[in-house]
Amino acid sequence: MQTEMATPEVRTGQRPPVIDCDLHAEVPTVEALFPYLPPYWVEHITHTRFKGPIDTYYPPQSPVAARPGSLPPQGPAGSSLELLRAQVLDPLNVEVGILVCTYAIDSLHNPDAAVALARAVNDWLAEEWLAKEPRLRASIVVPCQIPQLAAQEIDRVAQHPGFVQVLLPARSYFPYGNRIYHPLWEAIARHDLVAAIHFGGAPGTPPTPSGWPSYYFEEYAGMAQVFASQLTSIVCEGVFDLFPTVKVVLLESGVTWLPPHLWRFDKEWRNLRRLVPWLKQPPSAYVRQHVRLTVQPLDAPADPQALLAVLAQLGAEELLLYASDYPHEHGVDPETVLFPALPEALAQKIRTENARALYRRL
Amino acid sequence: MQTEMATPEVRTGQRPPVIDCDLHAEVPTVEALFPYLPPYWVEHITHTRFKGPIDTYYPPQSPVAARPGSLPPQGPAGSSLELLRAQVLDPLNVEVGILVCTYAIDSLHNPDAAVALARAVNDWLAEEWLAKEPRLRASIVVPCQIPQLAAQEIDRVAQHPGFVQVLLPARSYFPYGNRIYHPLWEAIARHDLVAAIHFGGAPGTPPTPSGWPSYYFEEYAGMAQVFASQLTSIVCEGVFDLFPTVKVVLLESGVTWLPPHLWRFDKEWRNLRRLVPWLKQPPSAYVRQHVRLTVQPLDAPADPQALLAVLAQLGAEELLLYASDYPHEHGVDPETVLFPALPEALAQKIRTENARALYRRL
């Protein structure tokens, strides 16, 4: 399956068009950002030990870190537009692909560095990717740890038609429903953008509710719990009541954890809703209206029938979005593993229609 | 349903016997512990502002905090043996009931206070509950924040035949697989006890992986994620490889989150198992052999068929244990809501057989 995906000639023209909601654009080196940084930061990075954020979400030695052949001659996997075209856009028949750059701005304690590097990444995305490839869109990178500054960066670049969403790392110092983030939500709503919460993040706090795990395996398996905590907070604090046009897309969250989370969430809402009287409907109703998830990686059971049952439990055909997560390798091609088991109308929604309905600027 | 449960005469003799794995014994006031505290602490509590731990897991105003009629003339719900007999042991035909005292020893920063109060609670449980009611067993309360001291307390009381397990709050400063806890696991294994991880905990750190939530509703809904994080850690760090006889029971964790968590856990183990080479089988296999869960509260879907599908996805009939969670009220009586939908042999396992197989000292 993996080699099939990597063989363009087998696939070209055979695959139905898709909107790929999770394509990675990696900053190859901090020097690639120099044309987009003010002289102060170029000088600072050149002459001090500070070389930009160093957090990487995927350990390079992990089998999921990069698919075979995705390493360009220079720079990390995911840093080459040519390879992106050759390995994804052309062979997978990508109509529109949305770039995600997980440069760890959120790990920076220096707010001026965070702002400067976020701006540089966005200008680099616009210049080096969006201007060169009409099939691409991108996510705005923001210093989410300081929501007012994140809002300013959104205001600065939102008029560019190529930016369709704001990227928020799943892990954060405060949960995203917290009122400290309202300026950020306001800016997202003001510009008709989507909030894209992506696997990972480097807030400096533990990635589990019970402290620091010892192994990356624990962090990876546990990321579904991070997404659940963010969803809980966003719904409970009334983000969707205050900003009814806002949509949230969960990138690389997995899918199967959601139905049981909503069962529990709805059940306890019936017990405890006096604490959140602004919620006008059960949490699951907010999620079905406002939240979308990508199908890659798919944390599926071994039994395909159980997976179909989970998809039915999602309770709406609008929730899932196609994503390749290139260059990361998860060993699952939705076109061969997932879609043949689904009604064609649902497969078609996941391939393109749900994304088209979600993104107003696609 | 709630009033039926509270009417002994309707139920007596009609219900099949059960082993109730989650009955709460509440310390009515800190003064109730004075006969079991050394003079230093009696004097300290009497003459200073320190009155023992004050964390309560359930807000008193919450509808789940206590069922109707469970409030004794003096003290909080769950503090009266007479009411426990009248509302649970007799009417629900409880063969054996296991007491859980969630006195928040884990919230105390003073290690001497934590040790003294844990000892006092255990001696109070032995004297005021176990000695007076042969149907009862109890959980050892420990200062889990200092594992060596917790192990000493286990060693001190484990010879008492009424103590069948060690109580660990779900929330903790470090995940329970961390090697800092090995003395605690060693003591649990040494005395053939069970590790009972219970809803709640007061380690002082946030109850979600993305920081402090604003509302107790979020904390309650999110507790399933805390349990998942502990399970991940315990399996990954090889606790079950090092201590192959140890069993873990999750109390008030909910159930439906487990199958999707195991799908993800197994899937990522295939990718990342080089990080945890001591694991000899997929994580789900460890869980099925070593972990049990109580059926109260049941975070069930609205559709009963979906619940049956989830129970099938657990993949073993040995995993679930009966519990009333008295005096907390969840509005679900397994005998009327759950068991009629199950094969009688499975219902019988949940009522008594699984608990009997789990606890060597019942």
Side-chain angles (χ1 to χ4, degrees):
Chain A
M1 189 166 52
Q2 300 177 10
T3 50
E4 275 187 284
M5 279 187 73
T7 311
E9 59 276 17
V10 175
R11 290 287 177 188
T12 308
Q14 296 178 359
R15 294 172 68 109
V18 290
I19 296 175
D20 192 331
C21 295
D22 187 21
L23 291 170
H24 285 258
E26 294 290 323
V27 175
T29 64
V30 73
E31 287 78 14
L33 300 178
F34 278 6
Y36 311 99
L37 279 170
Y40 172 87
W41 285 107
V42 173
E43 195 271 347
H44 190 108
I45 291 168
T46 305
H47 294 292
T48 74
R49 299 292 288 268
F50 175 67
K51 304 297 176 195
I54 53 165
D55 183 80
T56 57
Y57 298 153
Y58 281 75
Q61 296 308 313
S62 156
V64 300
R67 36 187 290 215
S70 66
L71 211 64
Q74 290 180 316
S79 63
S80 158
L81 175 57
E82 287 65 39
L83 276 176
L84 181 70
R85 285 185 181 124
Q87 292 202 301
V88 189
L89 298 183
D90 296 338
L92 301 191
N93 201 2
V94 175
E95 204 177 283
V96 178
I98 304 176
L99 295 174
V100 167
C101 176
T102 58
Y103 203 54
I105 301 291
D106 61 319
S107 72
L108 299 172
H109 293 279
N110 179 325
D112 307 306
V115 167
L117 284 161
R119 287 183 178 194
V121 170
N122 290 325
D123 292 347
W124 169 81
L125 284 167
E127 200 69 34
E128 314 269 345
W129 300 77
L130 298 181
K132 292 179 179 172
E133 174 50 66
R135 285 172 289 186
L136 291 179
R137 305 293 179 275
S139 316
I140 302 172
V141 170
V142 294
C144 64
Q145 62 273 51
I146 306 179
Q148 291 85 343
L149 300 181
Q152 284 175 20
E153 178 60 7
I154 294 169
D155 288 338
R156 189 184 73 88
V157 298
Q159 79 283 0
H160 189 302
F163 287 108
V164 298
Q165 64 188 5
V166 174
L167 186 64
L168 303 173
R171 291 177 54 204
S172 61
Y173 195 87
F174 298 106
Y176 284 127
N178 191 295
R179 262 154 266 189
I180 205 171
Y181 289 108
H182 277 197
L184 175 55
W185 290 109
E186 277 167 13
I188 291 170
R190 184 160 64 240
H191 297 288
D192 276 348
L193 294 162
V194 164
I197 302 181
H198 186 277
F199 181 100
T205 46
T208 90
S210 46
W212 283 100
S214 302
Y215 305 102
Y216 181 74
F217 171 30
E218 298 172 72
E219 188 171 333
Y220 194 102
M223 198 61 69
Q225 287 115 52
V226 180
F227 281 99
S229 74
Q230 296 288 11
L231 211 50
T232 304
S233 169
I234 290 167
V235 171
C236 283
E237 297 257 12
V239 168
F240 298 131
D241 300 280
L242 286 164
F243 309 105
T245 60
V246 161
K247 298 281 196 298
V248 170
V249 54
L250 309 183
L251 298 174
E252 299 178 37
S253 63
V255 169
T256 61
W257 56 270
L258 185 60
H261 181 59
L262 295 180
W263 298 334
R264 183 177 179 99
F265 204 2
D266 278 2
K267 177 171 178 287
E268 298 312 327
W269 172 72
R270 291 196 293 275
N271 279 328
L272 296 166
R273 62 185 168 187
R274 70 179 66 182
L275 292 169
V276 288
W278 44 86
L279 293 195
K280 296 177 188 67
Q281 45 186 357
S284 62
Y286 285 96
V287 169
R288 291 193 181 108
Q289 285 160 26
H290 292 272
V291 177
R292 303 292 178 261
L293 306 89
T294 56
V295 295
Q296 193 81 284
L298 195 63
D299 44 5
D303 173 12
Q305 287 306 313
L307 176 61
L308 293 181
V310 171
L311 296 186
Q313 288 161 1
L314 288 172
E317 297 199 335
E318 287 67 42
L319 264 59
L320 299 183
L321 307 174
Y322 180 90
S324 67
D325 192 24
Y326 178 85
H328 303 143
E329 175 59 272
H330 299 288
V332 171
D333 176 3
E335 206 58 68
T336 54
V337 173
L338 180 61
F339 294 158
L342 301 183
E344 178 54 24
L346 176 55
Q348 202 46 35
K349 285 186 173 181
I350 299 173
R351 285 192 195 100
T352 58
E353 292 172 23
N354 290 344
R356 234 191 300 273
L358 172 67
Y359 293 102
R360 305 184 183 198
R361 303 168 154 217
L362 223 53
Chain B
M1 191 167 51
Q2 299 177 12
T3 49
E4 276 187 282
M5 281 186 72
T7 311
E9 59 275 20
V10 175
R11 292 285 177 188
T12 308
Q14 296 178 358
R15 294 173 68 109
V18 291
I19 295 175
D20 192 332
C21 294
D22 187 20
L23 291 170
H24 285 258
E26 294 290 322
V27 176
T29 63
V30 73
E31 286 79 13
L33 300 178
F34 278 6
Y36 311 99
L37 279 169
Y40 172 87
W41 284 107
V42 173
E43 195 269 347
H44 191 108
I45 292 168
T46 306
H47 293 292
T48 74
R49 298 292 288 267
F50 175 67
K51 303 297 175 196
I54 54 166
D55 183 80
T56 57
Y57 299 153
Y58 281 75
Q61 296 309 312
S62 156
V64 301
R67 35 186 291 215
S70 66
L71 210 64
Q74 290 181 315
S79 64
S80 158
L81 176 56
E82 288 64 38
L83 276 177
L84 181 70
R85 286 185 181 123
Q87 292 202 300
V88 189
L89 298 183
D90 295 338
L92 301 191
N93 202 1
V94 175
E95 204 177 283
V96 179
I98 304 176
L99 294 175
V100 167
C101 176
T102 58
Y103 203 56
I105 300 291
D106 60 319
S107 73
L108 299 172
H109 292 280
N110 180 325
D112 306 306
V115 167
L117 284 161
R119 288 183 177 193
V121 170
N122 290 325
D123 292 347
W124 169 81
L125 284 167
E127 200 68 35
E128 314 270 345
W129 299 77
L130 299 180
K132 293 180 178 172
E133 174 50 66
R135 284 171 290 186
L136 292 178
R137 304 293 179 273
S139 315
I140 302 172
V141 170
V142 294
C144 63
Q145 61 272 51
I146 305 178
Q148 292 84 342
L149 300 181
Q152 285 176 20
E153 178 61 6
I154 294 169
D155 288 339
R156 188 184 74 89
V157 298
Q159 78 284 359
H160 189 300
F163 287 109
V164 297
Q165 63 188 5
V166 174
L167 186 64
L168 303 173
R171 293 177 52 204
S172 61
Y173 195 86
F174 298 106
Y176 284 127
N178 191 295
R179 261 154 267 190
I180 204 171
Y181 289 108
H182 277 197
L184 175 55
W185 290 110
E186 278 168 13
I188 290 170
R190 185 160 61 242
H191 297 289
D192 277 348
L193 294 161
V194 165
I197 301 180
H198 186 277
F199 182 101
T205 46
T208 90
S210 46
W212 283 101
S214 302
Y215 304 102
Y216 180 74
F217 172 30
E218 298 172 72
E219 189 170 334
Y220 194 101
M223 198 61 70
Q225 287 115 53
V226 179
F227 280 99
S229 74
Q230 296 288 9
L231 210 50
T232 304
S233 170
I234 291 167
V235 171
C236 282
E237 297 258 10
V239 168
F240 298 130
D241 300 279
L242 286 163
F243 309 104
T245 60
V246 160
K247 299 281 198 296
V248 170
V249 55
L250 308 183
L251 298 174
E252 299 178 36
S253 64
V255 169
T256 61
W257 56 269
L258 185 60
H261 181 60
L262 295 180
W263 298 335
R264 183 178 178 98
F265 203 3
D266 278 2
K267 177 171 177 287
E268 299 312 327
W269 172 72
R270 291 198 292 274
N271 278 328
L272 296 166
R273 61 185 170 187
R274 69 180 66 183
L275 292 169
V276 288
W278 43 88
L279 294 195
K280 297 178 187 67
Q281 45 187 358
S284 62
Y286 285 97
V287 170
R288 292 194 179 105
Q289 286 160 27
H290 292 271
V291 178
R292 302 293 179 260
L293 306 88
T294 56
V295 295
Q296 193 80 284
L298 195 62
D299 44 5
D303 173 12
Q305 287 306 313
L307 176 61
L308 294 181
V310 170
L311 296 186
Q313 287 162 2
L314 287 172
E317 297 198 334
E318 287 68 43
L319 264 60
L320 299 183
L321 307 174
Y322 180 90
S324 67
D325 192 22
Y326 177 87
H328 304 142
E329 174 59 274
H330 299 288
V332 171
D333 176 4
E335 205 59 67
T336 54
V337 173
L338 180 61
F339 294 158
L342 301 183
E344 178 54 25
L346 175 55
Q348 202 46 34
K349 284 187 173 182
I350 299 173
R351 285 193 195 99
T352 58
E353 290 172 25
N354 289 345
R356 234 191 300 273
L358 172 67
Y359 292 102
R360 304 182 183 198
R361 302 170 156 216
L362 224 52

